[in-house]
Amino acid sequence: MQTTYRLNAQEISDAFLQSLKTLFAGQEIEIIVKPVTDNRLDETTILAQTTLADEWESPEDQRWDNLL
């Protein structure tokens, strides 16, 4: 499973980190942090993300939704 989060640095809380630990319990994970240079998304990108999210909804994704 791969998940991408887009948020401001100030939004990283202990609760967010705990939810990551819960979601990926028992797994080795890789965290990559980079600044976002373009906050605008074109229609194609938004459509692709929405379509993929609908098609790839898994039990793990549903667990994450419940944690939020």
Side-chain angles (χ1 to χ4, degrees), residues 40-53:
R40 295 171 293 152
L41 295 176
D42 61 61
E43 284 183 32
T44 304
T45 302
I46 292 170
L47 179 60
Q49 289 176 344
T50 303
T51 303
L52 287 174

Side-chain angles (χ1 to χ4, degrees), residues 57-67:
E57 185 74 18
S58 69
E60 290 84 9
D61 295 332
Q62 291 171 1
R63 264 182 66 203
W64 174 247
D65 291 341
N66 292 336
L67 287 173

